[in-house]
Each structure stands twice: as structure tokens, then as C-alpha cells.
Amino acid sequence: MMKGLWDRETVALMLLAAYMPLALFWIWFGGGAALATLWIAVLCLAFWNFVFLLARAQPPSVAAVVTALAIAMLAPEGLGALRLVLGISFGVVMGELVFGGWGRNVVNPATVTLSFLGFGFPGFGWPGFDDPVVWAAFPAALIGVATGIMPAAVLGGALLIAGAALALGAPVAEVAPAAWIVLVLLVVDPVTSASTSLGRWLNGGVYAGLVVIFATGWSGAAPVQMAVAAALLTSLATPLLDEIAITLWIAKRRRRHGRN
């Protein structure tokens, strides 16, 4: 990213500040267990960032704390330190650090970590959230949108499809709180979400659509599990969504100005 005030660390710090209401409410209701999980995640991320600093002169980023928060909040419960460290190590190294660190990654490392933990240790239950924690995600999203670090169109696309699904009677009410938190923590990541205007609307719409599909047809899955799976598939499809948006823009210009 460019030098000056708006470098990548400024964006990371603003992103962390936006998540403060959500983090504080989650820690308040989660107590010591939540703090212990967050501490393990922060230490593991700090270790791998230090390894890549030494091996490749790759500077660490404050965004690692944001990743640690998302993992600690959404990871399956009762994993223990060893399984959690194993999942974080795989997700952060393969999802972010091998690409050059935060700002160059293709998929959110927390999404990769959570997907790995879900597939690797299916016997552990996924967390639930108290209502105040769910509501705390709203000021986090508002701060992110107001400061420009969270794409409003991604949120708008997701809310539009979710609202249509509720109006049509789709059984998404039970999944909605977890899906909202995952949307704010993972899907609106300014690095891995879509870059074009239309792509961002499609990004949010695809995520919400996948959540609706999973809520309708995936029996036995926990709400957080459905939302994380939807976030992973959406992130993998994001480059295609941007490509669709760019192709449509080029076609529109050709119709208006001719091929040349």
C-alpha cells in the first residue's frame, strides 16, 4: 500500500478500532475462557509473524490481532490449546503469510483457520452468541463503513438477499445472528472482499444466498458452521465476481463508444 497516512497499518488499526465494541461485549460475556482463547490465538499469530520476519524480512501487521479475535470468537469450543494452535498455524501460514502478509492474501486467514478446524475436528461444537454480542456487531459495522474500511456494498448485498429470504419465509432466523457476526468479522474484510462496485454487491449477495441454502438444506449443522462455510466459498468466488463486473463494464463501454 502507499506510504503516508493511509498505509496498511493505519487501515489495520482502524479495523481493530471498529471491532472494539464487538470484542468488549464478547469478552464480557465469555469471561476468562474467552480471554484465554484470544491470548492463545494472539501468541500463535505473533510467533508465525516473527518467523516470517526473520525468514523473509516480512514485516508483521496489527491486523494479526483482528485475525486472532475472529478465530477466538468463532472457533469450535473445547478444542484445547494444541488443536487450536495447529489450526491457526495452518490457516495463517497458508492463508496469508506465504502470500506476503496482510494486504496481499487472497483468502481471509481466519476463514481458512476456522474451515480447517471445522473439517479437521468435527466432533467439537461451534459457539453460540448472547444477544448483546450480536447487537454489538452493528456499531462495529457502522464504524467500519463510516471510516471507509468496510465496503458498504458487501453489507448491503447481504442484507438485501437476507431480507428477501425472510420475506419469502426461508428458515434463516436461527442462523441470522451467527451469519451477521461472520459477515462483519470475515466477509467484509477490506483485503479479500470484492474490489469493484458491482462485485461488492454480488459478494454480499452470494454470501447471504449460500447461508440461505445451507440453512434450508444442511441438517445438523450449527449456525456458525454454516456461516463460516458460506464465507469460505464466497471468498473463493470473489475474483470471479470482480471479473464478471469488469466484463459487464467493458461490454457497456463498447456499446456506448464502439469497439475502439
Side-chain angles (χ1 to χ4, degrees), residues 38-121:
L38 180 59
W39 184 240
I40 292 171
V42 169
L43 286 178
C44 185
L45 281 158
F47 169 78
W48 283 112
N49 274 270
F50 182 69
V51 168
F52 274 76
L53 172 64
L54 296 178
R56 299 173 56 175
Q58 187 170 296
S61 173
V62 180
V65 182
V66 176
T67 302
L69 175 65
I71 293 171
M73 287 188 65
L74 299 171
E77 298 176 322
L79 286 170
L82 180 60
R83 295 184 184 90
L84 185 61
V85 167
L86 178 63
I88 294 172
S89 299
F90 174 83
V92 171
V93 172
M94 301 305 296
E96 178 181 278
L97 294 176
V98 296
F99 293 99
W102 189 75
R104 300 180 179 90
N105 50 301
V106 179
V107 182
N108 189 303
T111 305
V112 179
T113 298
L114 295 166
S115 301
F116 177 85
L117 292 172
F119 287 118
F121 309 107

Side-chain angles (χ1 to χ4, degrees), residues 4 36 42 63-64 81 125-126 150 163 220 227:
V42 169
W126 293 83
M150 293 183 187

Side-chain angles (χ1 to χ4, degrees), residues 160-183:
L160 183 64
I161 297 299
L166 285 171
L168 294 173
V172 296
E174 184 179 352
V175 184
W180 169 243
I181 290 179
V182 170
L183 174 65

